[in-house]
Amino acid sequence: MKFYLTDEQKTINFTPFYAEALAINKNIHEDIDRIYKENKEAYYMEAIKSPFYDFLMGQEKKLIYEEYYRKAIGLISYAYNFDDENLDKKIFNLLKKAYKKTYAFFKNKTYVDMLEYIYYLQESSYFEKLSSEELDGNASAALFFTVELFDEDKVKNFDRFINEGFLPRWAFCINKCNRFTSKDFKGTLLETIDHKIKEVPKDLQDVVTGIKLSHNNPYAFLYDLENLNTVSLFGDIKLSKNEIREIISSYVLKSTTPDIDGKCFDGNFQDYMFAATQIKLLLKIYNEVKHTYFKNNKETMYVELDILKNKLKEFASEISNLRSKKSELQSAQDNEKQSLLKENENLKLEISRLKKQLEEKESHSKEVVALRDFVYKQKTENDFEIEDIDIDQIINTINKYNGVIIGGHPNWINKMQQKLTNWKFIGVDVNAMPDSILKGADVVLFFTDYLSHKLYYGIIDSLRETDIKVGYIKNVNVELSLLEIYNIVKQ
């Protein structure tokens, strides 16, 4: 049978060939188990990620071989993907143990001709006893030893060895043995199959499975010997039309292909279909069993469970770390919050201090400005022309304000009290001024020539916390004093 490959598909990956060589030799199964258990989770993960895990080369084998094929895929893939020289050496030793005769051919050579190895296989009586599967295993082991032991320039006829020994098998697996889509199954052969399908008895499957009893079922005895019931085995399997065509195709091939004596099969078509249908059903059941086995394989389930447990531990550890980080962040945030609160309180205190200082400065500024104005007037004012001033109007204007005058001679105070009836006067003999004296005042004036320092500073301290206007007067003459007061309150 000829299969067609693209140029890209002709590039062979030898992983499934090496895995097959390891799987089909029972003598190393225990060794594979021992190595596999050393890091089974990692090997299993590499196996199921490999494109060759469900490759036809492994699926076409019996169950035990397929199981070890999959394990071997995990070992080989891990060794390659992680450049694990130690595991690579273990795989080498496994193949040495499994294929001693083949290894013996390569071990003492400095260069090798792959055609000589083929002759070695053909001429050795040991290899004559091997099955085709075992010969394939030896060929794959030979390929492995060649790659591991020799440089490229020390190997002859390597491409021919690959193209003739491995490429056909690779093509078969890539095409998945789908004969009905290959170019070789066209024309007359398909016409013959379509013709023969009309001769298939409608009750063929019922008779084969035992659902319909028939004297033409001599194979039932064989099932009985194995304590198997055909109805139970085959009863729920329904062959499709395409599967019937596949059975017929085997009959057509057998009846049109000469055997070693040059003769073709000419047996009864219906008898052949009866036997071949049982084989087809058995093959389907076997594949179903393998599928169920691998689906429910305890070792695989335990490995997957261990992987999930480890992931759960990783997640738990990650959650714990995140919680720890969260706690640290929360603690840092709390500390930062406390620090900011403390800083905020300090800032409030500082603001309060600065505000008070500013108020003091503003009050002091108010006092200084008043003194500056007083001194300036002392230098610049000319003598007042008393006769030109309307004193009554000035008095009326001043009395519209609530004022306090601090200091002055008692006689002067008596005279001023008669003029400014709304004003309050504090003499120099007062030691402590009541807090209520400034209540409601618009202006406070100091008589500079007759004033106690203690009284002055005491009142100035109280004024600094108010918006009351401050001024200074000096004239003993009542009318001039009134004019000074008038100028101050009108500013």
Side-chain angles (χ1 to χ4, degrees):
M1 187 59 60
K2 184 177 180 182
F3 294 94
Y4 296 87
L5 292 172
T6 65
D7 291 337
E8 184 178 340
Q9 290 172 332
K10 288 178 182 177
T11 302
I12 301 176
N13 187 311
F14 297 120
T15 297
F17 293 95
Y18 296 157
E20 178 188 53
L22 292 168
I24 64 175
N25 194 304
K26 294 181 179 180
N27 295 328
I28 60 171
H29 282 181
E30 290 184 2
D31 299 299
I32 292 174
D33 287 335
R34 174 177 48 79
I35 296 171
Y36 193 80
K37 288 178 181 178
E38 292 173 359
N39 196 7
K40 60 183 179 180
E41 294 176 16
Y43 298 150
Y44 174 74
M45 289 303 297
E46 288 303 308
I48 61 175
K49 288 191 295 184
S50 171
F52 304 111
Y53 185 73
D54 291 317
F55 200 54
L56 180 60
M57 198 174 295
Q59 291 178 336
E60 64 184 4
K61 293 175 174 40
K62 61 184 179 181
L63 191 149
I64 188 66
Y65 287 171
E66 185 173 353
E67 180 174 357
Y68 282 94
Y69 167 86
R70 293 185 173 192
K71 289 183 177 180
I73 288 291
L75 297 176
I76 296 167
S77 298
Y78 188 93
Y80 177 80
N81 292 333
F82 292 91
D83 196 21
D84 191 328
E85 294 183 2
N86 184 47
L87 181 57
D88 197 50
K89 185 176 180 180
K90 290 179 180 179
I91 294 171
F92 186 93
N93 290 332
L94 285 175
L95 290 170
K96 278 173 56 178
K97 179 179 179 179
Y99 301 98
K100 296 177 182 178
K101 293 286 185 181
T102 290
Y103 178 69
F105 175 83
F106 290 95
K107 68 176 181 178
N108 295 322
K109 294 182 180 295
T110 55
Y111 70 92
V112 65
D113 186 339
M114 301 309 293
L115 290 183
E116 289 183 6
Y117 175 70
I118 300 298
Y119 299 147
Y120 174 69
L121 288 179
Q122 294 172 345
E123 294 173 2
S124 172
S125 59
Y126 170 78
F127 290 106
E128 288 181 358
K129 301 174 184 178
L130 300 182
S131 67
S132 61
E133 188 173 53
E134 290 170 330
L135 288 172
D136 287 339
N138 276 276
S140 297
L143 175 64
F144 185 88
F145 296 142
T146 303
V147 173
E148 292 290 319
L149 297 175
F150 301 96
D151 294 330
E152 188 176 348
D153 59 346
K154 300 296 183 181
V155 183
K156 187 178 180 182
N157 290 312
F158 185 77
D159 288 344
R160 183 175 175 182
F161 181 68
I162 297 299
N163 292 335
E164 294 181 5
F166 291 86
L167 187 59
R169 192 101 188 279
W170 178 258
F172 184 83
C173 291
I174 289 292
N175 283 272
K176 297 184 178 178
C177 195
N178 194 341
R179 301 179 187 277
F180 287 101
T181 60
S182 71
K183 294 182 179 180
D184 291 330
F185 278 81
K186 296 290 183 182
T188 305
L189 184 56
L190 289 180
E191 290 178 3
T192 304
I193 293 171
D194 289 337
H195 176 73
K196 281 291 183 182
I197 200 170
K198 299 176 183 178
E199 299 180 23
V200 177
K202 292 182 179 180
D203 60 352
L204 171 67
Q205 190 172 343
D206 290 342
V207 173
V208 170
T209 58
I211 294 175
K212 184 176 181 180
L213 298 177
S214 170
H215 65 281
N216 292 325
N217 191 350
Y219 305 102
F221 173 69
L222 297 176
Y223 293 98
D224 291 340
L225 291 177
E226 297 297 328
N227 296 318
L228 295 173
N229 186 299
T230 56
V231 176
S232 179
L233 284 175
F234 307 135
D236 59 347
I237 299 177
K238 300 298 179 183
L239 294 175
S240 66
K241 185 176 181 180
N242 198 55
E243 288 174 324
I244 298 295
R245 286 163 59 85
E246 290 174 351
I247 299 171
I248 296 172
S249 71
S250 70
Y251 173 82
V252 174
L253 287 172
K254 187 172 181 61
S255 61
T256 56
T257 305
D259 59 18
I260 194 170
D261 297 324
K263 297 180 180 180
C264 294
F265 176 74
D266 60 353
N268 181 273
F269 173 69
Q270 291 194 9
D271 288 343
Y272 181 89
M273 288 298 295
F274 183 85
T277 300
Q278 291 195 66
I279 294 173
K280 181 68 173 177
L281 290 169
L282 287 170
L283 292 173
K284 287 177 69 67
I285 288 174
Y286 186 67
N287 278 331
E288 183 180 300
V289 169
K290 288 209 298 180
H291 175 75
T292 303
Y293 172 81
F294 285 113
K295 183 179 179 181
N296 300 286
N297 179 271
K298 286 186 177 180
E299 181 175 5
T300 300
M301 292 171 67
Y302 288 148
V303 171
E304 292 180 347
L305 184 60
D306 288 340
I307 292 172
L308 291 174
K309 285 181 178 178
N310 288 335
K311 285 185 178 180
L312 185 61
K313 288 180 181 178
E314 291 176 4
F315 289 148
S317 177
E318 186 175 349
I319 290 171
S320 178
N321 290 335
L322 289 173
R323 285 176 175 169
S324 178
K325 289 180 180 179
K326 180 183 177 183
S327 178
E328 292 174 3
L329 287 172
Q330 186 65 48
S331 177
Q333 288 176 351
D334 291 342
N335 291 337
E336 181 69 14
K337 182 179 178 181
Q338 292 300 320
S339 176
L340 290 173
L341 288 173
K342 186 175 180 181
E343 184 178 352
N344 187 46
E345 289 299 320
N346 292 335
L347 288 173
K348 285 181 178 179
L349 292 173
E350 180 67 10
I351 290 170
S352 177
R353 185 185 69 80
L354 292 173
K355 185 177 180 181
K356 184 175 181 181
Q357 185 177 350
L358 180 61
E359 289 173 351
E360 290 175 355
K361 286 184 178 181
E362 288 176 347
S363 297
H364 181 66
S365 175
K366 177 172 63 175
E367 175 189 353
V368 169
V369 169
L371 285 171
R372 182 194 63 193
D373 291 343
F374 175 72
V375 172
Y376 178 75
K377 288 177 181 178
Q378 289 282 80
K379 292 180 180 180
T380 60
E381 286 182 346
N382 296 319
D383 291 338
F384 296 106
E385 297 293 336
I386 301 299
E387 61 274 8
D388 295 330
I389 299 173
D390 187 347
I391 292 299
D392 293 335
Q393 183 179 350
I394 289 174
I395 292 171
N396 289 335
T397 300
I398 294 173
N399 275 322
K400 292 179 180 178
Y401 297 89
N402 293 320
V404 179
I405 295 177
I406 311 297
H409 191 275
N411 291 332
W412 179 84
I413 292 174
N414 289 332
K415 294 176 183 179
M416 292 296 290
Q417 283 178 331
Q418 295 174 14
K419 304 290 183 181
L420 304 178
T421 56
N422 287 340
W423 285 56
K424 298 175 183 177
F425 293 83
I426 306 298
V428 294
D429 57 340
V430 176
N431 294 322
M433 186 184 72
D435 294 335
S436 61
I437 198 70
L438 298 178
K439 187 175 182 181
D442 298 315
V443 62
V444 173
L445 302 178
F446 293 95
F447 192 93
T448 58
D449 289 346
Y450 206 88
L451 181 64
S452 163
H453 284 185
K454 181 179 179 182
L455 180 61
Y456 170 76
Y457 288 115
I459 295 174
I460 282 295
D461 286 340
S462 298
L463 287 172
R464 284 173 180 162
E465 299 177 359
T466 70
D467 294 327
I468 300 173
K469 191 173 185 178
V470 176
Y472 299 89
I473 57 176
K474 68 178 181 64
N475 283 290
V476 177
N477 183 282
V478 173
E479 291 184 351
L480 292 177
S481 295
L482 289 171
L483 185 59
E484 279 187 299
I485 295 169
Y486 174 80
N487 288 332
I488 293 170
V489 298
K490 290 300 289 182
Q491 285 180 351

